[in-house]
PDB file of all heavy atoms in Angstrom:
ATOM      1  N   ALA A 122      17.068  53.780 -25.477  1.00 97.00           N
ATOM      2  CA  ALA A 122      18.391  53.150 -25.381  1.00 97.00           C
ATOM      3  C   ALA A 122      19.158  53.694 -24.199  1.00 97.00           C
ATOM      4  O   ALA A 122      19.837  52.950 -23.461  1.00 97.00           O
ATOM      5  CB  ALA A 122      19.183  53.403 -26.689  1.00 97.00           C
ATOM      6  N   PHE A 123      19.063  55.020 -23.956  1.00 97.00           N
ATOM      7  CA  PHE A 123      19.755  55.638 -22.824  1.00 97.00           C
ATOM      8  C   PHE A 123      19.202  55.108 -21.514  1.00 97.00           C
ATOM      9  O   PHE A 123      19.967  54.831 -20.573  1.00 97.00           O
ATOM     10  CB  PHE A 123      19.606  57.138 -22.920  1.00 97.00           C
ATOM     11  CG  PHE A 123      20.402  57.922 -21.879  1.00 97.00           C
ATOM     12  CD1 PHE A 123      21.780  58.004 -21.949  1.00 97.00           C
ATOM     13  CD2 PHE A 123      19.739  58.576 -20.862  1.00 97.00           C
ATOM     14  CE1 PHE A 123      22.495  58.715 -20.988  1.00 97.00           C
ATOM     15  CE2 PHE A 123      20.456  59.305 -19.908  1.00 97.00           C
ATOM     16  CZ  PHE A 123      21.821  59.362 -19.973  1.00 97.00           C
ATOM     17  N   LEU A 124      17.861  54.949 -21.430  1.00 98.00           N
ATOM     18  CA  LEU A 124      17.267  54.466 -20.208  1.00 98.00           C
ATOM     19  C   LEU A 124      17.627  52.993 -19.955  1.00 98.00           C
ATOM     20  O   LEU A 124      17.817  52.587 -18.767  1.00 98.00           O
ATOM     21  CB  LEU A 124      15.740  54.604 -20.282  1.00 98.00           C
ATOM     22  CG  LEU A 124      15.193  56.041 -20.191  1.00 98.00           C
ATOM     23  CD1 LEU A 124      13.697  56.052 -20.421  1.00 98.00           C
ATOM     24  CD2 LEU A 124      15.552  56.687 -18.859  1.00 98.00           C
ATOM     25  N   VAL A 125      17.775  52.208 -21.003  1.00 98.00           N
ATOM     26  CA  VAL A 125      18.213  50.821 -20.830  1.00 98.00           C
ATOM     27  C   VAL A 125      19.621  50.794 -20.245  1.00 98.00           C
ATOM     28  O   VAL A 125      19.895  50.017 -19.319  1.00 98.00           O
ATOM     29  CB  VAL A 125      18.167  50.065 -22.180  1.00 98.00           C
ATOM     30  CG1 VAL A 125      18.862  48.716 -22.070  1.00 98.00           C
ATOM     31  CG2 VAL A 125      16.716  49.878 -22.621  1.00 98.00           C
ATOM     32  N   MET A 126      20.540  51.652 -20.783  1.00 97.00           N
ATOM     33  CA  MET A 126      21.869  51.704 -20.219  1.00 97.00           C
ATOM     34  C   MET A 126      21.855  52.126 -18.749  1.00 97.00           C
ATOM     35  O   MET A 126      22.564  51.562 -17.915  1.00 97.00           O
ATOM     36  CB  MET A 126      22.737  52.671 -21.037  1.00 97.00           C
ATOM     37  CG  MET A 126      23.090  52.212 -22.434  1.00 97.00           C
ATOM     38  SD  MET A 126      24.295  53.230 -23.252  1.00 97.00           S
ATOM     39  CE  MET A 126      23.348  54.720 -23.538  1.00 97.00           C
ATOM     40  N   ALA A 127      20.997  53.121 -18.432  1.00 98.00           N
ATOM     41  CA  ALA A 127      20.885  53.568 -17.072  1.00 98.00           C
ATOM     42  C   ALA A 127      20.334  52.460 -16.167  1.00 98.00           C
ATOM     43  O   ALA A 127      20.778  52.285 -15.017  1.00 98.00           O
ATOM     44  CB  ALA A 127      20.004  54.803 -16.983  1.00 98.00           C
ATOM     45  N   ALA A 128      19.360  51.685 -16.695  1.00 98.00           N
ATOM     46  CA  ALA A 128      18.772  50.608 -15.927  1.00 98.00           C
ATOM     47  C   ALA A 128      19.803  49.510 -15.628  1.00 98.00           C
ATOM     48  O   ALA A 128      19.811  48.938 -14.528  1.00 98.00           O
ATOM     49  CB  ALA A 128      17.570  50.036 -16.661  1.00 98.00           C
ATOM     50  N   VAL A 129      20.663  49.246 -16.625  1.00 98.00           N
ATOM     51  CA  VAL A 129      21.699  48.249 -16.412  1.00 98.00           C
ATOM     52  C   VAL A 129      22.659  48.692 -15.309  1.00 98.00           C
ATOM     53  O   VAL A 129      22.990  47.954 -14.381  1.00 98.00           O
ATOM     54  CB  VAL A 129      22.463  47.955 -17.706  1.00 98.00           C
ATOM     55  CG1 VAL A 129      23.699  47.103 -17.457  1.00 98.00           C
ATOM     56  CG2 VAL A 129      21.546  47.277 -18.720  1.00 98.00           C
ATOM     57  N   LEU A 130      23.090  49.954 -15.401  1.00 97.00           N
ATOM     58  CA  LEU A 130      23.973  50.496 -14.376  1.00 97.00           C
ATOM     59  C   LEU A 130      23.298  50.516 -13.016  1.00 97.00           C
ATOM     60  O   LEU A 130      23.903  50.179 -11.988  1.00 97.00           O
ATOM     61  CB  LEU A 130      24.426  51.902 -14.764  1.00 97.00           C
ATOM     62  CG  LEU A 130      25.332  52.655 -13.797  1.00 97.00           C
ATOM     63  CD1 LEU A 130      26.633  51.865 -13.582  1.00 97.00           C
ATOM     64  CD2 LEU A 130      25.658  54.055 -14.308  1.00 97.00           C
ATOM     65  N   GLY A 131      22.021  50.900 -12.987  1.00 98.00           N
ATOM     66  CA  GLY A 131      21.285  50.941 -11.753  1.00 98.00           C
ATOM     67  C   GLY A 131      21.108  49.569 -11.149  1.00 98.00           C
ATOM     68  O   GLY A 131      21.224  49.405  -9.919  1.00 98.00           O
ATOM     69  N   SER A 132      20.895  48.557 -11.984  1.00 98.00           N
ATOM     70  CA  SER A 132      20.729  47.187 -11.494  1.00 98.00           C
ATOM     71  C   SER A 132      22.048  46.683 -10.842  1.00 98.00           C
ATOM     72  O   SER A 132      22.007  46.024  -9.808  1.00 98.00           O
ATOM     73  CB  SER A 132      20.329  46.276 -12.622  1.00 98.00           C
ATOM     74  OG  SER A 132      19.068  46.638 -13.141  1.00 98.00           O
ATOM     75  N   ILE A 133      23.146  47.014 -11.494  1.00 98.00           N
ATOM     76  CA  ILE A 133      24.452  46.624 -10.930  1.00 98.00           C
ATOM     77  C   ILE A 133      24.682  47.287  -9.562  1.00 98.00           C
ATOM     78  O   ILE A 133      25.094  46.628  -8.617  1.00 98.00           O
ATOM     79  CB  ILE A 133      25.583  46.976 -11.900  1.00 98.00           C
ATOM     80  CG1 ILE A 133      25.470  46.132 -13.193  1.00 98.00           C
ATOM     81  CG2 ILE A 133      26.959  46.757 -11.261  1.00 98.00           C
ATOM     82  CD1 ILE A 133      26.417  46.552 -14.289  1.00 98.00           C
ATOM     83  N   LEU A 134      24.360  48.584  -9.517  1.00 97.00           N
ATOM     84  CA  LEU A 134      24.555  49.314  -8.263  1.00 97.00           C
ATOM     85  C   LEU A 134      23.597  48.775  -7.179  1.00 97.00           C
ATOM     86  O   LEU A 134      23.978  48.701  -5.976  1.00 97.00           O
ATOM     87  CB  LEU A 134      24.323  50.823  -8.484  1.00 97.00           C
ATOM     88  CG  LEU A 134      24.806  51.768  -7.403  1.00 97.00           C
ATOM     89  CD1 LEU A 134      26.308  51.593  -7.184  1.00 97.00           C
ATOM     90  CD2 LEU A 134      24.492  53.223  -7.778  1.00 97.00           C
ATOM     91  N   ALA A 135      22.395  48.364  -7.579  1.00 97.00           N
ATOM     92  CA  ALA A 135      21.437  47.832  -6.609  1.00 97.00           C
ATOM     93  C   ALA A 135      21.946  46.512  -6.052  1.00 97.00           C
ATOM     94  O   ALA A 135      21.790  46.232  -4.852  1.00 97.00           O
ATOM     95  CB  ALA A 135      20.086  47.636  -7.273  1.00 97.00           C
ATOM     96  N   LEU A 136      22.555  45.703  -6.891  1.00 98.00           N
ATOM     97  CA  LEU A 136      23.094  44.424  -6.430  1.00 98.00           C
ATOM     98  C   LEU A 136      24.309  44.615  -5.511  1.00 98.00           C
ATOM     99  O   LEU A 136      24.479  43.903  -4.524  1.00 98.00           O
ATOM    100  CB  LEU A 136      23.504  43.565  -7.628  1.00 98.00           C
ATOM    101  CG  LEU A 136      22.371  42.968  -8.440  1.00 98.00           C
ATOM    102  CD1 LEU A 136      22.900  42.299  -9.704  1.00 98.00           C
ATOM    103  CD2 LEU A 136      21.545  41.972  -7.620  1.00 98.00           C
ATOM    104  N   LEU A 137      25.125  45.600  -5.861  1.00 97.00           N
ATOM    105  CA  LEU A 137      26.334  45.831  -5.070  1.00 97.00           C
ATOM    106  C   LEU A 137      26.116  46.628  -3.815  1.00 97.00           C
ATOM    107  O   LEU A 137      26.898  46.518  -2.855  1.00 97.00           O
ATOM    108  CB  LEU A 137      27.389  46.515  -5.936  1.00 97.00           C
ATOM    109  CG  LEU A 137      27.909  45.753  -7.159  1.00 97.00           C
ATOM    110  CD1 LEU A 137      28.883  46.623  -7.952  1.00 97.00           C
ATOM    111  CD2 LEU A 137      28.580  44.454  -6.705  1.00 97.00           C
ATOM    112  N   TRP A 138      25.051  47.442  -3.783  1.00 97.00           N
ATOM    113  CA  TRP A 138      24.867  48.360  -2.661  1.00 97.00           C
ATOM    114  C   TRP A 138      23.412  48.348  -2.166  1.00 97.00           C
ATOM    115  O   TRP A 138      23.105  47.709  -1.179  1.00 97.00           O
ATOM    116  CB  TRP A 138      25.310  49.752  -3.086  1.00 97.00           C
ATOM    117  CG  TRP A 138      25.219  50.814  -2.047  1.00 97.00           C
ATOM    118  CD1 TRP A 138      25.029  50.616  -0.703  1.00 97.00           C
ATOM    119  CD2 TRP A 138      25.312  52.221  -2.230  1.00 97.00           C
ATOM    120  NE1 TRP A 138      24.996  51.820  -0.060  1.00 97.00           N
ATOM    121  CE2 TRP A 138      25.163  52.834  -0.958  1.00 97.00           C
ATOM    122  CE3 TRP A 138      25.495  53.032  -3.348  1.00 97.00           C
ATOM    123  CZ2 TRP A 138      25.207  54.214  -0.782  1.00 97.00           C
ATOM    124  CZ3 TRP A 138      25.533  54.398  -3.176  1.00 97.00           C
ATOM    125  CH2 TRP A 138      25.415  54.987  -1.920  1.00 97.00           C
ATOM    126  N   SER A 139      22.532  49.089  -2.896  1.00 97.00           N
ATOM    127  CA  SER A 139      21.159  49.177  -2.432  1.00 97.00           C
ATOM    128  C   SER A 139      20.203  49.477  -3.575  1.00 97.00           C
ATOM    129  O   SER A 139      20.632  50.070  -4.585  1.00 97.00           O
ATOM    130  CB  SER A 139      20.992  50.260  -1.385  1.00 97.00           C
ATOM    131  OG  SER A 139      21.031  51.565  -1.975  1.00 97.00           O
ATOM    132  N   ALA A 140      18.952  49.079  -3.426  1.00 98.00           N
ATOM    133  CA  ALA A 140      17.937  49.354  -4.456  1.00 98.00           C
ATOM    134  C   ALA A 140      17.744  50.843  -4.645  1.00 98.00           C
ATOM    135  O   ALA A 140      17.579  51.336  -5.777  1.00 98.00           O
ATOM    136  CB  ALA A 140      16.611  48.667  -4.078  1.00 98.00           C
ATOM    137  N   ASN A 141      17.766  51.611  -3.533  1.00 98.00           N
ATOM    138  CA  ASN A 141      17.608  53.055  -3.655  1.00 98.00           C
ATOM    139  C   ASN A 141      18.640  53.668  -4.565  1.00 98.00           C
ATOM    140  O   ASN A 141      18.319  54.517  -5.406  1.00 98.00           O
ATOM    141  CB  ASN A 141      17.728  53.696  -2.259  1.00 98.00           C
ATOM    142  CG  ASN A 141      16.434  53.666  -1.474  1.00 98.00           C
ATOM    143  OD1 ASN A 141      15.363  53.391  -2.035  1.00 98.00           O
ATOM    144  ND2 ASN A 141      16.505  53.973  -0.192  1.00 98.00           N
ATOM    145  N   ALA A 142      19.891  53.256  -4.427  1.00 98.00           N
ATOM    146  CA  ALA A 142      20.959  53.787  -5.260  1.00 98.00           C
ATOM    147  C   ALA A 142      20.681  53.490  -6.735  1.00 98.00           C
ATOM    148  O   ALA A 142      20.880  54.344  -7.596  1.00 98.00           O
ATOM    149  CB  ALA A 142      22.315  53.190  -4.842  1.00 98.00           C
ATOM    150  N   GLY A 143      20.184  52.272  -7.015  1.00 98.00           N
ATOM    151  CA  GLY A 143      19.883  51.923  -8.385  1.00 98.00           C
ATOM    152  C   GLY A 143      18.777  52.798  -8.949  1.00 98.00           C
ATOM    153  O   GLY A 143      18.849  53.226 -10.083  1.00 98.00           O
ATOM    154  N   TRP A 144      17.727  53.025  -8.161  1.00 98.00           N
ATOM    155  CA  TRP A 144      16.637  53.876  -8.659  1.00 98.00           C
ATOM    156  C   TRP A 144      17.052  55.314  -8.828  1.00 98.00           C
ATOM    157  O   TRP A 144      16.580  56.008  -9.723  1.00 98.00           O
ATOM    158  CB  TRP A 144      15.446  53.757  -7.710  1.00 98.00           C
ATOM    159  CG  TRP A 144      14.733  52.456  -7.746  1.00 98.00           C
ATOM    160  CD1 TRP A 144      14.609  51.533  -6.769  1.00 98.00           C
ATOM    161  CD2 TRP A 144      14.079  51.892  -8.892  1.00 98.00           C
ATOM    162  NE1 TRP A 144      13.905  50.442  -7.211  1.00 98.00           N
ATOM    163  CE2 TRP A 144      13.579  50.639  -8.499  1.00 98.00           C
ATOM    164  CE3 TRP A 144      13.869  52.314 -10.199  1.00 98.00           C
ATOM    165  CZ2 TRP A 144      12.870  49.805  -9.380  1.00 98.00           C
ATOM    166  CZ3 TRP A 144      13.189  51.521 -11.097  1.00 98.00           C
ATOM    167  CH2 TRP A 144      12.685  50.271 -10.688  1.00 98.00           C
ATOM    168  N   PHE A 145      17.996  55.786  -7.968  1.00 98.00           N
ATOM    169  CA  PHE A 145      18.512  57.142  -8.157  1.00 98.00           C
ATOM    170  C   PHE A 145      19.209  57.281  -9.525  1.00 98.00           C
ATOM    171  O   PHE A 145      19.169  58.330 -10.160  1.00 98.00           O
ATOM    172  CB  PHE A 145      19.464  57.520  -7.031  1.00 98.00           C
ATOM    173  CG  PHE A 145      18.816  58.205  -5.875  1.00 98.00           C
ATOM    174  CD1 PHE A 145      18.820  57.615  -4.617  1.00 98.00           C
ATOM    175  CD2 PHE A 145      18.190  59.447  -6.023  1.00 98.00           C
ATOM    176  CE1 PHE A 145      18.221  58.247  -3.543  1.00 98.00           C
ATOM    177  CE2 PHE A 145      17.601  60.091  -4.965  1.00 98.00           C
ATOM    178  CZ  PHE A 145      17.580  59.478  -3.707  1.00 98.00           C
ATOM    179  N   VAL A 146      19.899  56.222  -9.930  1.00 98.00           N
ATOM    180  CA  VAL A 146      20.583  56.239 -11.240  1.00 98.00           C
ATOM    181  C   VAL A 146      19.584  56.460 -12.351  1.00 98.00           C
ATOM    182  O   VAL A 146      19.722  57.327 -13.218  1.00 98.00           O
ATOM    183  CB  VAL A 146      21.376  54.932 -11.473  1.00 98.00           C
ATOM    184  CG1 VAL A 146      21.877  54.873 -12.928  1.00 98.00           C
ATOM    185  CG2 VAL A 146      22.557  54.840 -10.513  1.00 98.00           C
ATOM    186  N   VAL A 147      18.512  55.664 -12.346  1.00 98.00           N
ATOM    187  CA  VAL A 147      17.514  55.736 -13.412  1.00 98.00           C
ATOM    188  C   VAL A 147      16.802  57.085 -13.387  1.00 98.00           C
ATOM    189  O   VAL A 147      16.607  57.725 -14.421  1.00 98.00           O
ATOM    190  CB  VAL A 147      16.492  54.583 -13.284  1.00 98.00           C
ATOM    191  CG1 VAL A 147      15.404  54.717 -14.331  1.00 98.00           C
ATOM    192  CG2 VAL A 147      17.199  53.256 -13.429  1.00 98.00           C
TER     193      VAL A 147
END
Side-chain angles (χ1 to χ4, degrees):
F123 185 72
L124 289 175
V125 168
M126 290 189 291
V129 170
L130 178 59
S132 297
I133 295 171
L134 196 58
L136 288 173
L137 295 177
W138 182 12
S139 75
N141 277 348
W144 288 118
F145 268 118
V146 170
V147 177

